[in-house]
């Protein structure tokens, strides 16, 4: 079933917001790693929680329709590109 343009635009925006949450969570995890008692456990737990929330939200919001999933994925990629430009670390520096 094909979605209309407003629905796809909404999925793009929702994907962007989900991407922001996912990648800002990653950034927060990376900034906390130097102070963590168990950095590997923190990294794994953060990944699992972020992925579970992202995948559950995508499945719920898209109704598992391919066109809606692709629009949301485009939003997630846009969020990654934006955050990389805004808070990306120059080579040789630590976060």
């Amino acid at each position: 079933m094909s979605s209309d343009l407003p629905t796809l635009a909404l999925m793009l925006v929702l994907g962007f917001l989900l991407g922001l949450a996912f990648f800002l969570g990653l950034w927060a995890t990376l900034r906390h790693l130097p102070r963590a008692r168990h950095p590997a456990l923190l990294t794994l737990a953060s990944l699992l929680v972020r992925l579970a929330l992202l995948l559950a939200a995508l499945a719920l919001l898209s109704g598992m329709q391919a066109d809606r999933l692709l629009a949301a994925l485009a939003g997630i990629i846009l969020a990654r590109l934006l955050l990389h430009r805004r808070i990306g670390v120059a080579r040789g520096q630590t976060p």
Side-chain angles (χ1 to χ4, degrees):
M1 177 179 271
S2 173
S3 297
D4 55 354
L5 191 56
T7 301
L8 294 178
L10 176 62
M11 289 306 300
L12 180 74
V13 170
L14 291 173
F16 181 81
L17 295 173
L18 288 171
L20 283 178
F22 183 87
F23 291 114
L24 287 174
L26 173 60
W27 186 61
T29 300
L30 292 176
R31 291 184 52 84
H32 192 268
L33 277 179
R35 300 180 306 277
R37 280 183 99 168
H38 304 286
L41 183 60
L42 173 65
T43 304
L44 181 61
S46 170
L47 173 66
L48 292 176
V49 168
R50 287 181 294 111
L51 272 178
L53 292 173
L54 178 68
L55 293 175
L58 282 174
L60 182 67
L61 294 172
S62 72
M64 297 306 292
Q65 293 184 20
D67 53 351
R68 292 179 182 185
L69 280 171
L70 287 174
L73 179 60
I76 292 168
I77 292 169
L78 286 173
R80 187 214 177 270
L81 293 172
L82 174 79
L83 288 174
H84 186 267
R85 286 182 181 254
R86 299 291 260 156
I87 60 176
V89 178
R91 221 173 256 230
Q93 295 179 348
T94 57

